Amino acid sequence: MGNFEPVIVAFCCHYCAYTAADMAGSMRLSYPSNVKILRVPCTGKVDIKHILQAFQNGVDGVYVAGCLEGDCHFKSGNKKAALRVERVKMLLDEIGIEKERVEMVTMSAGMGEYFAQTAINITEKIRKLGPSPVKNVWKDQLRSAS
Ligand code: FES
């Protein structure tokens, strides 16, 4: 696991986290390329199944990045997303997968530095956890099918 490089999906709200990512870029702040950004209109559009599908497709970690509390452009999308992330944590826990592999974070559009630091911190955390066990299950199934 020494040179393990995790693949992480970040569902980023168009109005805040995605703009913060843009700002990080224009400030020339670097953050790990491990983080693959998926822009969504609002984190309220991220369903439990989208997060689970990401794991099923082989990612090692997922985070949902929305607007600060009270700033969601669709009123309560970020609150719904936070509840869904908590539900996914419970589901992962129930099947023996580290719940720390999924997180909800919030930020404003102007928080480019925070965006970059969050990407660094989450990448480091997932790197320490190692590859997702879901990935190994698929590998084992493919191996036994061939
Ligand atoms: Fe940003 Fe809803 S518009 S989280």
Side-chain angles (χ1 to χ4, degrees):
M1 206 181 351
N3 53 3
F4 165 63
E5 283 302 330
V7 177
I8 298 163
V9 163
F11 290 99
C12 292
C13 156
H14 166 77
Y15 292 97
C16 50
Y18 191 81
T19 309
D22 251 3
M23 177 162 282
S26 53
M27 291 168 77
R28 297 180 186 273
L29 299 171
S30 63
Y31 58 87
S33 59
N34 307 65
V35 175
K36 314 299 177 198
I37 295 175
L38 286 180
R39 179 166 52 170
V40 292
C42 168
T43 55
K45 287 285 183 191
V46 180
D47 202 1
I48 287 173
K49 73 177 174 192
H50 299 133
I51 300 173
L52 295 178
Q53 274 171 355
F55 282 110
Q56 206 173 20
N57 287 331
V59 306
D60 302 292
V62 173
Y63 65 100
V64 180
C67 299
L68 294 171
E69 201 178 326
D71 284 349
C72 173
H73 288 60
F74 298 91
K75 290 189 180 172
S76 59
N78 49 2
K79 284 185 190 166
K80 287 178 187 158
L83 290 172
R84 289 174 188 151
V85 166
E86 280 310 308
R87 183 73 186 123
V88 172
K89 279 179 177 287
M90 284 168 58
L91 290 169
L92 293 181
D93 203 35
E94 279 172 24
I95 58 172
I97 296 173
E98 304 92 343
K99 60 184 176 192
E100 295 79 12
R101 291 187 183 277
V102 61
E103 292 296 340
M104 173 81 197
V105 295
T106 59
M107 64 191 74
S108 73
M111 296 169 74
E113 217 166 308
Y114 182 74
F115 178 89
Q117 195 55 53
T118 299
I120 291 167
N121 293 346
I122 289 179
T123 300
E124 194 47 43
K125 182 177 71 174
I126 302 296
R127 193 178 279 133
K128 281 183 187 154
L129 286 172
S132 163
V134 179
K135 198 182 274 187
N136 293 334
V137 168
W138 284 114
K139 270 187 200 163
D140 290 348
Q141 284 186 355
L142 286 173
R143 215 174 288 133
S144 62
S146 60

